[in-house]
């Protein structure tokens, strides 16, 4: 599992890339083809043709980090192959990284705060 700071932009390149490319080759691809600044802290996710491997590129402030992962006996879930990028939430990225279908994952909804504590309502009900 990769922990990302809150508010980090996560972009998924929807077309497969040449997996012989290293960190600098993927950074150049991000700048030229995707129009993204790879040294801005954005997390860039690239896929292989067979969809069983991903490369993740991120600038951590002191250098480029390249993370490579291959699923054993399974493939990552990807959107249709089109030109461009797709923005993912941190929850969707975590699911993708774990090999789960990220399209079925939703961020947890906020639990509403009650207007009065439960013990107060029970106490009032006993009085009434």
């Amino acid at each position: 599992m990769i922990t990302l700071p809150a508010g980090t932009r996560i972009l998924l390149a929807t077309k497969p890339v040449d997996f012989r490319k290293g960190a600098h080759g993927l950074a150049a691809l991000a700048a030229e083809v995707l129009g993204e600044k790879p040294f801005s802290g954005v997390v860039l996710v690239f896929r292989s043709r067979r969809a069983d491997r991903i490369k993740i590129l991120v600038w951590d402030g002191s250098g480029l980090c390249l993370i490579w992962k291959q699923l054993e006996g399974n493939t990552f879930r990807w959107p249709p192959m089109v030109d461009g990028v797709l923005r993912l939430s941190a929850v969707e990225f975590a699911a993708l990284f774990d090999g789960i279908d990220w399209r079925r994952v939703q961020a947890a909804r906020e639990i509403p705060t009650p207007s009065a504590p439960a013990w107060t309502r029970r106490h009032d009900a006993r009085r009434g």
Side-chain angles (χ1 to χ4, degrees):
M1 179 63 192
I2 299 173
T3 306
L4 301 172
T8 302
R9 286 183 354 153
I10 305 163
L11 301 177
L12 177 70
T14 57
K15 283 184 102 173
V17 299
D18 180 355
F19 252 51
R20 294 175 291 184
K21 290 186 184 296
H24 294 286
L26 291 173
L29 181 71
E32 294 169 15
V33 177
L34 304 177
E36 289 298 326
K37 297 177 183 175
F39 304 105
S40 66
V42 65
V43 175
L44 298 160
V45 183
F46 300 94
R47 65 168 284 176
S48 66
R49 289 203 189 283
R50 292 183 300 191
D52 64 339
R53 294 168 286 156
I54 62 172
K55 283 188 177 181
I56 302 163
L57 183 68
V58 64
W59 173 262
D60 72 351
S62 63
L64 280 173
C65 298
L66 180 62
I67 300 150
W68 183 90
K69 183 172 183 178
Q70 180 175 357
L71 288 179
E72 295 297 323
N74 205 355
T75 59
F76 291 99
R77 307 292 182 215
W78 293 95
M81 285 189 236
V82 295
D83 288 333
V85 296
L86 179 68
R87 188 167 183 169
L88 296 180
S89 70
V91 172
E92 291 168 334
F93 171 74
L96 172 75
F97 191 75
D98 288 338
I100 299 169
D101 188 351
W102 58 271
R103 296 168 293 191
R104 298 178 183 257
V105 177
Q106 296 178 358
R109 292 190 336 228
E110 217 175 286
I111 299 171
T113 305
S115 57
W119 64 269
T120 304
R121 287 184 291 215
R122 281 182 293 195
H123 182 71
D124 290 344
R126 288 185 199 152
R127 284 184 175 170

